[in-house]
Structures are given as C-alpha cells and as structure tokens.
Amino acid sequence: WKMVREGRYDPARIVELGSIIKGEVAARNGPNDITLFRDARGGVGDIALANDVYERARAQGLGIEFEL
C-alpha cells in the first residue's frame, strides 16, 4: 500500500486472489507481470482454502493421489 500512497502504483491494477482463482482475471498476462499474494497469517484460513481446493479437485477427478 505504500507504493499506492506514494503514487508509484495504480490501485486499479490490484486484483483480489479470489478473482484469479475463479478465472475471472488472468494471474499473469506476460513475463513482466508480477503476482503478489500477502497472507494474513491466519493459518486456519490457509487450511480451509487448501481443503476446499482439494475437495473440488477430487470431485472433478483432477490431480494424482500418491503416498508420501
């Protein structure tokens, strides 16, 4: 946000992660684009998101299961 306040970055270029995940916006449009994600450090939210993505992938028959 410091760059936005200083006028060095256009806030209109900021896209929420959810828009990228839903496919509404491309994560990157070229090799010079930057994708930045700042975690709120909640931990629990990360686990919930990972579980949701996992369950949706399984339901669609995507991915490969393997033993660790």
Side-chain angles (χ1 to χ4, degrees):
W1 293 111
K2 181 179 178 184
M3 290 176 64
V4 171
R5 282 193 309 269
E6 293 173 350
R8 297 187 303 144
Y9 192 82
D10 180 6
R13 295 184 62 204
I14 298 173
V15 177
E16 294 212 9
L17 179 61
S19 297
I20 295 172
I21 292 171
K22 289 190 267 182
E24 297 171 348
V25 178
R28 293 173 49 114
N29 295 306
N32 295 324
D33 283 358
I34 297 171
T35 301
L36 172 70
F37 171 68
R38 183 181 183 287
D39 185 357
R41 300 174 198 234
V44 174
D46 294 340
I47 294 169
L49 175 61
N51 184 65
D52 185 56
V53 170
Y54 172 74
E55 292 298 335
R56 288 177 187 225
R58 279 191 83 193
Q60 295 178 35
L62 300 173
I64 300 170
E65 291 193 34
F66 57 92
E67 296 285 328
L68 292 177

